[in-house]
Amino acid sequence: MTVTRLVPGLLSPPRWAVRAAHAVALVTLPSGVWRLLLAAGFTAGYTGTGYEAMGFTGWGAVYVVGLGMAGELLALLTLGLVRPWGEVLPRWIPLVGGRRPDPRMVTVAAGLGAGVLTLGLAQFAFWWAFPHPDMTPGGNTLAGFLYLPLVAWGPLLAAVTLDYRRRRRRRRHRRVAGAGPVRPCRRTAHSACSRGQQHRAQAGFSPGGGGGSGTGDYSLAPDRP
């Protein structure tokens, strides 16, 4: 006989937050691909003299590639705010694998990062307001469009961080409001107990009697017989 148990879990992130987190991982791609072209030996909008002056060969190429990869990895970390691996770090990560990061530290780090990125990358919104004599006219226009998405990185990260903080606070408040263990009941074809628990889970009520908003704070998971 199968036993159904209400398992407490995190509030599910709203759809807009999930989309915003994925958008962060995309805004760094255009400029990252452009850097790869520069490291591969393409002038990619620079004049011949300008390309040589920028030093995109040798160690300069390594720096450009590393900068692009670091930016993309940092952007991908935003997904941890809306994905399970952000709650429990993957075990393959050295030293910290399998641990739960402190939500307060995550919120502070992400918030500071959002502020720094917003201030530091806002300059690309004014790319065409400044002369770039080391680039061709077409290259100057193209580079401006490739870097323009970076302006949205900071605001998107800030929005996802605020939602992460909101969900963590609501989870903590529900833990305080709800008390008492969850009683398992046997699930049968006409089990009123199971149906009652399922309705309460869908409505967002906590097992301890606290009300909810139906945001998916609990999920149904079958236990062993």
Side-chain angles (χ1 to χ4, degrees):
M1 194 69 69
T2 305
V3 177
T4 300
R5 189 184 300 266
L6 290 174
V7 181
L10 276 178
L11 288 168
S12 300
R15 184 174 299 178
W16 69 262
V18 176
R19 291 178 176 176
H22 283 81
V24 170
L26 295 177
V27 297
T28 59
L29 279 179
S31 57
V33 172
W34 185 62
R35 292 191 185 99
L36 290 178
L37 292 176
L38 292 173
F42 295 95
T43 56
Y46 279 92
T47 62
T49 304
Y51 183 85
E52 294 179 1
M54 292 297 294
F56 290 125
T57 58
W59 286 108
V62 175
Y63 169 77
V64 169
V65 173
L67 182 63
M69 292 180 63
E72 189 60 35
L73 289 175
L74 288 174
L76 288 173
L77 288 179
T78 308
L79 295 176
L81 300 176
V82 297
R83 293 302 182 193
W85 58 264
E87 291 296 321
V88 180
L89 299 178
R91 295 189 177 276
W92 54 264
I93 300 180
L95 302 178
V96 296
R99 297 184 180 181
R100 292 180 179 271
D102 187 347
R104 291 172 295 184
M105 293 183 61
V106 172
T107 302
V108 171
L112 290 176
V116 171
L117 290 170
T118 300
L119 295 176
L121 299 178
Q123 58 180 317
F124 292 117
F126 308 98
W127 174 272
W128 298 288
F130 301 95
H132 298 88
D134 54 351
M135 305 188 74
T136 65
N140 181 43
T141 302
L142 177 62
F145 281 112
L146 293 177
Y147 275 101
L148 188 60
L150 294 177
V151 178
W153 188 353
L156 287 173
L157 176 57
V160 178
T161 302
L162 289 174
D163 174 72
Y164 173 84
R165 180 174 180 270
R166 176 190 65 84
R167 288 185 289 114
R168 298 297 307 203
R169 291 186 64 183
R170 291 187 63 180
R171 181 191 187 190
R172 183 171 64 252
H173 291 167
R174 289 194 176 193
R175 281 181 173 179
V176 174
V182 181
R183 294 183 178 180
C185 64
R186 297 184 179 278
R187 183 176 65 182
T188 61
H190 304 284
S191 172
C193 178
S194 295
R195 291 197 300 272
Q197 286 190 350
Q198 292 181 24
H199 292 324
R200 288 196 298 273
Q202 294 173 358
F205 289 95
S206 63
S213 58
T215 53
D217 194 28
Y218 291 87
S219 58
L220 291 174
D223 199 353
R224 295 182 178 178

